[in-house]
Amino acid sequence: MSKSLRTGGCLCGAVRYSVAGALRPVVMCHCTQCRRMTGHVMAATAARRADFHLVSECELKWYTASNEARRGFCARCGSTLFWEGVGRDYISIAAGSLDESRGPHDRLPYLRRRQG
């Protein structure tokens, strides 16, 4: 787990966040909601809520997907960003939204990053 400051955001840059604490290793979810939200599987890391900070949230929208969780996305560019469970002390973060090209998602060797 990384303990350095990490940043990320959506494709258009309208939603930005930072994480000052450790990130959980990336997990993959292929439940029906994750598949429909992303068009594939959801690759997500997570951070404690106390370590997570929204830097810019003007276009952040939340969709209440069930009584148990809501999902955050950018209303401008449509980027999938967050999953937040009711009563949880952490927020799941789409691994691909992290700025740094090296990080927790590198632990998945079958995922290849494209330039551009």
Side-chain angles (χ1 to χ4, degrees):
M1 293 231 231
S2 169
K3 291 192 179 196
S4 60
L5 181 69
R6 303 295 294 272
T7 59
C10 66
L11 181 60
C12 72
V15 179
R16 300 287 305 153
Y17 64 86
S18 65
V19 178
L23 291 173
R24 175 192 70 200
V26 172
V27 298
M28 309 290 265
C29 183
H30 54 83
C31 74
T32 300
Q33 287 189 11
C34 282
R35 289 192 329 261
R36 290 194 176 169
M37 183 76 173
T38 66
H40 199 262
V41 297
M42 175 69 157
T45 185
R48 289 179 347 118
R49 287 292 294 152
D51 296 335
F52 178 82
H53 174 70
L54 283 167
V55 175
S56 173
E57 59 183 300
C58 62
E59 294 292 332
L60 178 61
K61 299 295 180 198
W62 290 96
Y63 172 68
T64 302
S66 70
N67 292 334
E68 298 170 17
R70 65 183 187 158
R71 295 169 181 272
F73 64 96
C74 176
R76 182 184 300 163
C77 67
S79 294
T80 297
L81 296 167
F82 311 116
W83 179 93
E84 187 173 54
V86 174
R88 308 273 176 111
D89 66 346
Y90 66 89
I91 185 167
S92 291
I93 302 166
S97 71
L98 290 165
D99 289 335
E100 191 175 319
S101 64
R102 295 174 307 155
H105 48 285
D106 283 347
R107 296 183 187 130
L108 301 172
Y110 54 88
L111 291 179
R112 295 182 187 207
R113 290 182 305 280
R114 244 182 58 196
Q115 296 296 324

